[in-house]
Amino acid sequence: MSLPQFVLASASPARRKLLQMVGIEPIVLPSDFDEDQIQSADPSVLVKTLALRKAEVIANQLNQTATSVPRLVMGCDSVLAIKGEIHGKPANPAEAIARWQQMRGQVGELFTGHTLFELPSDRRSEIRHQMRCQVTRVYFANISDLQIEAYVATGEPLNCAGCFALEGKGGAFVERLEGCHSNVIGLSMPLLRLMLTEFNYDITDFWQ
């Protein structure tokens, strides 16, 4: 079986780095899908639908061109839910500060939707895809207003779903996790391994 090209339909440096850490060097093609088109009060439905739409845009584009090897297209989306309220990226520093004042001392659930398309090298063959959602519980420290203001001033939380980056300075304000660690960063590695297996690939194939 030919080793497929792995395409990441996301501009997220964190997701790219996660893939590189497990031996996958992705081709990065951000979809630029307008996320405001999708609305849902169910965080699992929301992230799965957004991940699907992002991957779908790129899969449709790539399917217009011939290739000698299969292609896998990965789309992801993450949100944080606290007490039933869904949070994406904060719009501005003031919103980030207010968000953290609500989050501190609380337990949130980080939902990441994953969609994986398989585009066969033979364009007459069927295009397949999978949709999954991974959830991780996040326990936030009860930090002070000064710490919140200092963190928001770094700019880091403005670019993150849930207003924090576990792999960055925000990691100091997360006391513990229940569930998949990499899911909080943006892509669940164990879930990806299972999704690859469903398409008859082994993650170790990419280590060649």
Side-chain angles (χ1 to χ4, degrees):
M1 180 183 295
S2 300
L3 183 67
Q5 292 180 337
F6 195 103
V7 179
L8 178 63
S10 170
S12 166
R15 291 190 178 110
R16 180 179 184 179
K17 186 174 181 180
L18 283 170
L19 289 168
Q20 291 171 329
M21 286 172 61
V22 296
I24 298 174
E25 186 59 59
I27 297 169
V28 178
L29 295 176
S31 69
D32 297 324
F33 177 78
D34 181 6
E35 298 183 15
D36 292 336
Q37 295 181 44
I38 308 299
Q39 301 292 327
S40 176
D42 184 325
S44 176
V45 171
L46 179 62
V47 294
K48 286 194 293 185
T49 305
L50 285 168
L52 171 65
R53 298 304 179 212
K54 291 177 180 180
E56 196 172 47
V57 168
I58 300 303
N60 287 337
Q61 291 175 4
L62 292 176
N63 199 44
Q64 304 304 311
T65 60
T67 180
S68 60
V69 297
R71 288 173 287 198
L72 297 171
V73 180
M74 183 99 231
C76 296
D77 193 81
S78 301
V79 298
L80 179 73
I82 296 182
K83 296 182 177 179
E85 186 176 355
I86 297 174
H87 300 289
K89 294 179 182 178
N92 50 56
E95 183 178 320
I97 289 172
R99 180 90 56 81
W100 260 101
Q101 288 172 340
Q102 293 176 327
M103 287 164 48
R104 59 183 170 192
Q106 300 295 320
V107 180
E109 291 183 313
L110 197 293
F111 291 77
T112 299
H114 302 67
T115 293
L116 187 66
F117 276 85
E118 182 190 40
L119 308 181
S121 55
D122 180 356
R123 293 175 62 194
R124 294 169 296 179
S125 299
E126 179 187 3
I127 296 175
R128 300 185 294 171
H129 78 276
Q130 305 172 48
M131 295 170 58
R132 305 286 176 84
C133 181
Q134 185 76 283
V135 185
T136 305
R137 288 175 63 82
V138 183
Y139 290 75
F140 295 104
N142 191 12
I143 61 177
S144 69
D145 286 345
L146 287 177
Q147 288 173 316
I148 290 172
E149 290 168 9
Y151 182 43
V152 172
T154 69
E156 181 179 276
L158 299 176
N159 299 313
C160 304
C163 206
F164 75 103
L166 182 68
E167 73 281 14
K169 297 178 177 67
F173 302 142
V174 174
E175 295 193 329
R176 65 187 177 96
L177 302 174
E178 288 180 2
C180 178
H181 172 275
S182 63
N183 185 58
V184 180
I185 301 174
L187 203 167
S188 170
M189 293 295 102
L191 189 56
L192 173 60
R193 174 178 52 80
L194 293 174
M195 295 174 82
L196 288 171
T197 300
E198 292 263 337
F199 283 154
N200 297 317
Y201 298 107
D202 193 300
I203 197 167
T204 61
D205 295 339
F206 293 88
W207 300 353
Q208 299 175 13

